[in-house]
Amino acid sequence: MSALASPDPDRATDERLLREAIRLSRARMRQGRGGPFGAVVARDGVVVARGWNAVTSTCDPTAHAEVVAIRRACRGLGTFSLAGCVLYASCEPCPMCLAAAYWARVDRLVYAATRDDAARAGFDDALIYREVPLPPEARSLPTDQLLHAEGAAVLGEWLAKPDRVPY
């Protein structure tokens, strides 16, 4: 357990909900609906949303199980914050899904297989993990910054907007 993990999580609940994520990953994979990944968002031990990898079935490279589950949970709960919720994932989330979990403000993340297991199955995120800390000009994805002042001006307007909803 990491130093930041909850001190006394209910292991039986965690295992039950994680098994649901694993069950989803297997079922949807076998149905040809996407890759072998499933996720569940729960609040107080009750499932509020389920997701599975739908990248190939929806032609959406962002339709990873965790992102799908987070989107469904937010829609279902009518909020962009999943504070008070736990995200259960059949596999350690990729960088995109991990970032989504942070943005969603989930209280905790519980996963089964590791990113090394995923890499052995052909889902290798190592390049992204290496690229993220690099300055944009050093990344393998050619990146150009243009119109800085115009883009930054919109952010300045946001800061001055009295009715903005911080997130």
Side-chain angles (χ1 to χ4, degrees):
M1 183 185 315
S2 75
L4 298 178
S6 299
D8 297 309
D10 180 348
R11 187 175 175 105
T13 299
D14 284 349
E15 289 180 358
R16 175 177 58 82
L17 294 167
L18 190 53
R19 282 192 176 100
E20 173 65 8
I22 294 167
R23 184 195 68 74
L24 280 169
S25 71
R26 179 176 286 116
R28 297 307 185 257
M29 173 193 66
R30 288 179 176 173
Q31 293 169 351
R33 309 246 326 250
F37 304 98
V40 169
V41 175
R43 177 180 281 164
D44 299 322
V46 177
V47 174
V48 296
R50 293 171 176 84
W52 49 88
N53 182 282
V55 169
T56 57
S57 60
T58 62
C59 299
D60 179 353
T62 68
H64 290 201
E66 299 89 339
V67 171
V68 171
I70 287 168
R71 288 174 180 164
R72 288 179 176 160
C74 288
R75 263 194 314 274
L77 295 172
T79 180
F80 58 83
S81 173
L82 295 179
C85 294
V86 178
L87 174 61
Y88 296 89
S90 64
C91 187
E92 182 178 359
C94 75
M96 176 183 70
C97 294
L98 183 60
Y102 277 102
W103 277 112
R105 311 284 196 280
V106 296
D107 284 5
R108 215 162 44 96
L109 166 66
V110 180
Y111 65 90
T114 67
R115 65 173 127 165
D116 293 330
D117 298 323
R120 283 189 291 278
F123 300 93
D124 193 351
D125 299 322
L127 170 69
I128 300 169
Y129 281 106
R130 283 192 309 271
E131 293 268 313
V132 167
L134 297 175
E137 64 277 3
R139 296 178 185 150
S140 63
L141 175 65
T143 304
D144 296 308
Q145 181 188 18
L146 302 172
L147 305 175
H148 176 256
E150 291 177 37
V154 177
L155 296 172
E157 287 180 40
W158 168 257
L159 286 173
K161 190 175 186 318
D163 62 340
R164 74 179 184 269
V165 177
Y167 59 95

